[in-house]
Amino acid sequence: MNTKVLKTGKVFRRIRNCESGSALVETALTFPVLVMLIAGATEFSRVAYASLEVVSAAKAGVSYGAQTGATTTDLNGITYAAQHDAGNVTSIQVLSANSTYVCSDGSASTGANTDCSTSHMEQTLTVTTQATIDPIIHIPGLPTTYTINGQASQLCLQ
């Protein structure tokens, strides 16, 4: 019996000192964390890209609308320019395209030709866009959709 106890003790010491399976155990424990980090980075990148597209769409819309006085009121043309600039974001919408008028000397203007007697009138077009992004991975506690807003303003040609 004494020899069996010694042999069993040697076996346990040998197993305890062996490190051949430790790398596999470490990999199994860290792999889920690595997958979650990659998934989170991918989702963050998608939202960041969509926000760049929404702002770029607003810039395209305001660029089209600021060409002439007639295109500042062409909401269909502004919407067309914005939607075709952000072709990868299917839920893009143009919420508003507003013109504001001021005199170059800083006084207020309603847009009438007689408002700025000592200076010239300046028209600024502001386009606001919006898109809703649905994430691929739905994590409990985080929103199921993200609403992204974009806005651009430009001085119009007179």
Side-chain angles (χ1 to χ4, degrees):
M1 271 216 209
N2 232 355
T3 59
K4 286 187 180 182
V5 172
L6 289 175
K7 285 183 180 180
T8 307
K10 284 182 181 181
V11 170
F12 283 128
R13 269 187 250 127
R14 178 182 268 172
I15 291 173
R16 195 173 49 206
N17 291 335
C18 183
E19 295 182 10
S20 63
S22 64
L24 182 62
V25 171
E26 290 171 2
T27 302
L29 292 174
T30 58
F31 188 71
V33 174
L34 180 64
V35 168
M36 290 301 293
L37 283 172
I38 291 172
T42 303
E43 198 60 45
F44 179 76
S45 299
R46 285 186 67 242
V47 173
Y49 175 75
S51 68
L52 291 173
E53 286 284 314
V54 169
V55 171
S56 178
K59 288 180 182 179
V62 81
S63 179
Y64 168 80
Q67 291 177 21
T68 65
T71 57
T72 57
T73 57
D74 183 13
L75 189 60
N76 289 332
I78 292 171
T79 303
Y80 181 82
Q83 287 177 340
H84 281 77
D85 185 71
N88 295 333
V89 180
T90 57
S91 64
I92 189 82
Q93 299 174 0
V94 175
L95 297 181
S96 66
N98 298 323
S99 291
T100 56
Y101 298 92
V102 295
C103 296
S104 62
D105 62 1
S107 60
S109 174
T110 60
N113 290 337
T114 58
D115 284 348
C116 304
S117 59
T118 60
S119 61
H120 67 280
M121 186 174 20
E122 295 178 348
Q123 180 184 16
T124 303
L125 177 65
T126 303
V127 175
T128 305
T129 55
Q130 183 179 39
T132 303
I133 306 301
D134 187 21
I136 295 173
I137 303 166
H138 295 282
I139 300 171
L142 292 179
T144 56
T145 59
Y146 299 102
T147 302
I148 301 170
N149 295 312
Q151 184 176 4
S153 296
Q154 185 172 340
L155 192 62
C156 301
L157 296 175
Q158 293 293 320

